[in-house]
Amino acid sequence: EELVADYHKWLLFQADWRRVRNTSLQALSFPYDSYRKGQRELAIAAYKTLRNQQRLFVEAPTGTGKTISTLFPAFKAMGEDRADRIFYLTAKTITRQVAEDALKALVDTGATAKSVTLTAKDKICFLDERKCNPDDCPYAEGYYNRINEGLWDLLHHENQLTRPIIETYAKKHRLCPFELSLDVSLFCDVVIG
């Protein structure tokens, strides 16, 4: 009964969050005063593609506004329960920052969404030499004894889970920051990786 009660609070949290998220996304407006050339057409094409569960391939020059023109309609579709989670995949740090900036613009316009930025294990590890086992790493030792409390704290106080935020909560709860970012991604609406 205790285990079921603990599990129940997580289910309630997820259902409540989804309701809050969807309400905010349904009312969301484009975060800028106007569209750049081609942005509105891309946003419409992206929304229709998501609505119809198809694929969209786009090639456009840097600075066109592809990120916001695809994230905005993806948020609108998510608010209509047409999507559960958005994965934004990138190979470069600079484009990760572009995604984080676009998410901030959407949040500043009224979107309520949780996002996490995944960072490579070697880059985010707190140890000088990465040794991922409980005998050598204080952040791995007892991880599963502390993860629920750490996740609950993180999810109730933060929405944009960037590398510095993940590191702060990982240190606070003595958790492996890489594993924490993976575990919290299960509760996030947007995963940047």
Side-chain angles (χ1 to χ4, degrees):
E1 286 181 15
E2 186 178 324
L3 181 61
V4 169
D6 283 345
Y7 189 68
H8 185 250
K9 83 175 186 179
W10 288 94
L11 290 176
L12 288 177
F13 168 76
Q14 285 183 297
D16 290 343
W17 176 257
R18 186 181 194 103
R19 196 170 24 262
V20 168
R21 179 199 71 188
N22 287 359
T23 300
S24 78
L25 297 182
Q26 288 168 6
L28 186 65
S29 299
F30 192 70
Y32 302 110
D33 294 334
S34 62
Y35 288 93
R36 293 181 193 165
K37 183 181 179 193
Q39 270 189 315
R40 190 170 195 290
E41 292 79 6
L42 176 54
I44 291 168
Y47 178 78
K48 287 179 179 177
T49 300
L50 290 164
R51 186 187 65 209
N52 297 326
Q53 297 181 352
Q54 296 175 326
R55 291 189 180 128
L56 175 68
F57 294 96
V58 176
E59 183 178 357
T62 301
T64 305
K66 297 180 294 292
T67 300
I68 198 69
S69 297
T70 52
L71 281 177
F72 173 66
F75 269 40
K76 294 300 280 185
M78 189 184 303
E80 297 169 356
D81 267 336
R82 295 183 184 272
D84 187 47
R85 187 168 290 132
I86 298 168
F87 289 88
Y88 188 96
L89 307 175
T90 178
K92 298 180 180 180
T93 303
I94 188 68
T95 48
R96 179 200 72 209
Q97 187 61 51
V98 170
E100 288 177 349
D101 292 346
L103 285 170
K104 184 179 180 330
L106 290 164
V107 167
D108 290 347
T109 309
T112 302
K114 291 191 181 296
S115 67
V116 63
T117 301
L118 302 178
T119 304
K121 188 184 287 191
D122 287 335
K123 288 184 178 181
I124 201 168
C125 181
F126 292 144
L127 303 181
D128 293 332
E129 183 182 342
R130 185 172 57 83
K131 294 182 179 179
C132 296
N133 66 68
D135 294 331
D136 296 317
C137 178
Y139 302 99
E141 183 272 320
Y143 178 86
Y144 293 103
N145 297 331
R146 297 183 302 276
I147 185 58
N148 286 347
E149 183 179 327
L151 278 176
W152 193 258
D153 185 19
L154 178 59
L155 290 168
H156 281 81
H157 292 100
E158 306 290 344
N159 286 342
Q160 276 55 65
L161 313 176
T162 58
R163 179 179 175 174
I165 298 291
I166 292 291
E167 289 175 338
T168 298
Y169 280 82
K171 286 178 182 172
K172 178 180 177 181
H173 294 278
R174 204 167 50 96
L175 297 167
C176 168
F178 180 73
E179 293 298 328
L180 175 60
S181 66
L182 294 181
D183 285 339
V184 79
S185 71
L186 298 172
F187 297 91
C188 288
D189 307 305
V190 181
V191 178
I192 301 171

